[in-house]
Amino acid sequence: MKLSRWTMLAAAAPLIASGCGSFGKAMTAHTDVVARAAGKELKVDEAARLLAANPQIPASPEVVEELANMWVDYTLLATAAAEDTTLAVLDLDELLEPQREQITMWKLREQVIRADTVFTEQEIQQRWNTEGPGVEIRARHILLSVPTEATPAQRDSVRRQAEQLRARAAGGEDFAGLARQHSQDPGSKGQGGDLGFFGRGRMVAPFEEAAFVLQPGQISQVVESPFGYHVIRVEDRRQTPLGPQREGFVRFLVQKAQQDAEKAYVDSLTRAAAVEVRPGAPKIARELAEQDNLQLRGRAADRVMASYRGGELTTGEFAEFLRTLPAQARSGFAQATDEQVNDLVEQMTHKELLLREAERRRLAPSQAQMDSARAGARQSISQILNTVGFTRARLPRGSGKNAAIEARVRELIEGAISGTGQVPQLGPLGPALRSAYGYEVNEGNFPKVVQALQTIRASQPQRTPPAGAVPPAGQQAPPPPQPQGTQGTQGTQGTQP
C-alpha cells in the first residue's frame, strides 16, 4: 500500500531518522586534521587506527568521509550533553518545524477532503475481481518491435501498422492468426500470441496497465512499451474468492479513495497556481547534491528552480532539504534522472501550496499538539543519550570534560567499526548540532587516512574479523548473488511480454 500523498508531501521525518550528510565547512590549512568539532580534533593517524579495527572495511575516501561525519556528530552530541542533558543549546521549535508542518497539513486534509468511502457488496466484489492482489489474466498480444535507433518517422510507421492490425482484430479477424503472421515476439508468436495466465508485477508497466483493465474478449488500444507497440486481447480472468480477505480489501478501497481524493485536491491547487518547474532544475539539483558546503548565500541561494502564482522554490530552499538527507541518499540523488528530480521539485512546491492554503484558512497545530511534540522530542533525545552513554555520570563537567568526551566518542566509534556495538542515527539532530556549534571537515586529508590505513594493514598479520562485524554507518556488506531471470521466458518482470 502506498503512503498517502499528504504524508509524502509533508517531508516530515521523526526525530530519530536517517543520519546526516557531509555538508561541512572544508578546511583550507594543510594540517594532519581530518575533522574539527567543538574545539576537538580527529587526526589522520587516529582515524586510520579506528578503521583498522575491522579488516573488512574498504580503504577508501568514502569510508573516511563516513567516519569523519560520525565523529563530528557524536562529538557535538557529547559536548552538548556535557553542558546540559536537555540539549538546551538547540532551538527545539526549529527542530520540530517539519512536524508542525505535517500536523498543519493533516488539519487541512481533514477540512477539505471529502472521499466517498461507502461501497456496496456488488462494488466490493467487482473491485476485487479487477484490483484484488490475486487476480490473474490470460492474454494474447501482437508485438511490433521498434529499432533502437529508429527515427520519429520510422516509429510513426510502426505505430500505424499496429493501428491497422488492431482495427482488423476489432473488426472480427482471428487474433491468434494475426499474431502468428505479424507478431515479432518470438516467445509467443508460434502460440498465436498466447502469454498464458499471469498476475500483476510480471509485465512491464504500460503493458500491465492496459491489460488488467480489459475484460475477456476485449482488445486494447495500441500500447507502447520499451519493446515496441502491442495490441492486447484478454482471453480469460481468474481470481481467488474474496472470503476472509474481505475486511483487509475494504480497508484498501477506503485508503485508495482517500488518496484519489487527496490527489485530485492537490492537482486542483497546482493547476490554479500554475506550477512550473524550470528546465534547468535537474542540473541545478544534481550540482547542489555534489557540493560539500550547502550553506548558500546571496544570489547563489536565489536561483529559481520552480515557480507558482505567488511564490517560488529557490536553490536555497532546495539546499536546506538536501541538508536533511543522509550522506548516501544525497550521493545517490546526484545520479537521479531528470524525471525523478522534477517529480521531487513538484512535490516540494505542492507542499508550499498546501501550507499556504492552510495559512489562508488559519489552520495550525494546537498548543497541546506542539507540547506533545516537544515532549516526544525530549524523550527521544533522552533515549539517544542513554543508548550511547552520554550521561552526566559518563561525561563529567570541569577540567576532565573534554578528555571524557573524546574517550567516550572513541569508544562508541570503535564499537561501531568492530561490530561489537551499534550507534543510533541522529536524524535532524545532526544538522541542528552542526548549526549550533559549527564544524570543519578536511576532505583533502581523506587520501592520507587511506594511505595510513593501508600501511597499518600491511604491518598486521591476516586475521578473521570478529563475529557480527559490520561496516561503519552508511556502509553495507555486498548483497548475496541474486538468481538471474530465465532467458527466453516471455512475460516475466522486465522482459518482453
Side-chain angles (χ1 to χ4, degrees), residues 70 411-424 467-472:
M70 181 188 290
E411 179 185 348
L412 191 71
I413 294 177
E414 285 174 348
I417 290 175
S418 67
T420 60
Q422 296 287 336
V423 293
V470 295

Side-chain angles (χ1 to χ4, degrees), residues 104-422:
T104 299
M105 286 191 286
W106 276 104
K107 282 181 173 287
L108 178 63
R109 175 189 185 276
E110 292 171 356
Q111 185 175 108
V112 301
I113 298 300
R114 298 291 181 268
D116 184 2
T117 57
V118 177
F119 304 96
T120 67
E121 284 301 320
Q122 183 179 0
E123 288 172 331
I124 293 172
Q125 187 62 53
Q126 182 180 6
R127 295 283 293 274
W128 173 256
N129 291 336
T130 57
E131 301 176 41
V135 66
E136 292 184 327
I137 61 173
R138 180 184 174 190
R140 298 178 185 271
H141 82 135
I142 300 170
L143 169 68
L144 298 184
S145 301
V146 178
T148 305
E149 303 299 327
T151 64
Q154 289 172 323
R155 297 187 70 87
D156 288 344
S157 175
V158 175
R159 185 179 185 97
R160 284 195 297 272
Q161 294 176 43
E163 296 282 4
Q164 291 168 2
L165 289 171
R166 194 262 170 198
R168 291 170 62 181
E173 285 196 45
D174 179 47
F175 193 97
L178 290 172
R180 289 189 184 95
Q181 183 178 359
H182 298 283
S183 182
Q184 296 171 352
D185 174 12
S188 67
K189 178 176 181 176
Q191 291 76 46
D194 193 353
L195 299 169
F197 277 99
F198 55 89
R200 294 183 185 276
R202 293 285 303 281
M203 301 296 182
V204 291
F207 187 98
E208 178 178 298
E209 290 169 6
F212 273 85
V213 298
L214 300 175
Q215 295 300 315
Q218 290 184 325
I219 297 172
S220 72
Q221 298 297 320
V222 173
V223 178
E224 182 178 3
S225 84
F227 301 105
Y229 294 104
H230 309 260
V231 179
I232 307 166
R233 173 188 165 92
V234 168
E235 301 290 343
D236 197 5
R237 301 182 73 98
R238 65 188 183 189
Q239 170 66 297
T240 57
L242 181 55
Q245 302 183 73
R246 182 185 184 285
E247 183 178 345
F249 185 65
V250 171
R251 285 198 300 268
F252 161 75
L253 294 180
V254 169
Q255 291 176 357
K256 189 174 187 303
Q258 291 171 337
Q259 291 170 8
D260 290 345
E262 292 164 5
K263 182 180 184 303
Y265 178 73
V266 173
D267 289 346
S268 69
L269 286 182
T270 301
R271 288 192 298 272
V275 173
E276 177 189 1
V277 178
R278 298 296 173 86
K283 180 180 179 182
I284 294 172
R286 284 190 286 267
E287 289 173 352
L288 288 172
E290 293 172 348
Q291 288 186 21
D292 298 314
N293 185 0
L294 288 171
Q295 304 278 3
L296 302 184
R297 298 288 185 272
R299 286 189 296 177
D302 292 335
R303 298 170 68 186
V304 177
M305 298 181 66
S307 61
Y308 50 92
R309 191 167 289 120
E312 55 193 22
L313 177 72
T314 66
T315 47
E317 292 169 314
F318 196 83
E320 285 299 314
F321 161 74
L322 290 176
R323 290 184 60 194
T324 67
L325 296 181
Q328 277 191 313
R330 191 157 62 86
S331 176
F333 188 87
Q335 308 302 320
T337 65
D338 286 3
E339 183 179 0
Q340 290 170 327
V341 175
N342 285 338
D343 185 59
L344 174 61
V345 171
E346 283 184 3
Q347 288 193 31
M348 293 179 70
T349 59
H350 294 168
K351 171 189 166 185
E352 294 303 315
L353 290 173
L354 290 169
L355 290 173
R356 188 173 68 173
E357 179 64 15
E359 182 179 3
R360 187 183 71 81
R361 295 172 180 263
R362 299 183 179 180
L363 300 176
S366 66
Q367 186 65 44
Q369 287 174 317
M370 291 309 298
D371 287 345
S372 176
R374 293 185 189 96
R378 292 189 184 97
Q379 182 179 7
S380 296
I381 290 171
S382 178
Q383 289 174 346
I384 290 177
L385 296 181
N386 287 332
T387 299
V388 299
F390 289 176
T391 60
R392 286 179 178 174
R394 298 293 300 271
L395 300 174
R397 297 184 179 183
S399 59
K401 179 181 72 172
N402 284 344
I405 288 173
E406 291 172 349
R408 182 62 193 122
V409 171
R410 188 184 310 112
E411 179 185 348
L412 191 71
I413 294 177
E414 285 174 348
I417 290 175
S418 67
T420 60
Q422 296 287 336

Side-chain angles (χ1 to χ4, degrees), residues 421-475:
Q422 296 287 336
V423 293
Q425 300 288 351
L426 299 187
L429 268 181
L433 288 165
R434 293 180 182 216
S435 295
Y437 286 97
Y439 71 104
E440 295 175 292
V441 172
N442 189 354
E443 294 189 358
N445 276 342
F446 290 177
K448 293 182 181 179
V449 178
V450 171
Q451 185 177 10
L453 175 58
Q454 291 170 334
T455 300
I456 293 173
R457 287 179 172 171
S459 66
Q460 294 176 333
Q462 294 295 319
R463 55 179 177 151
T464 303
V470 295
Q475 298 295 316

Side-chain angles (χ1 to χ4, degrees), residues 73-91:
D73 285 340
Y74 284 95
T75 295
L76 294 178
L77 180 63
T79 300
E83 294 173 357
D84 187 330
T85 53
T86 66
L87 302 195
V89 69
L90 301 180
D91 183 343

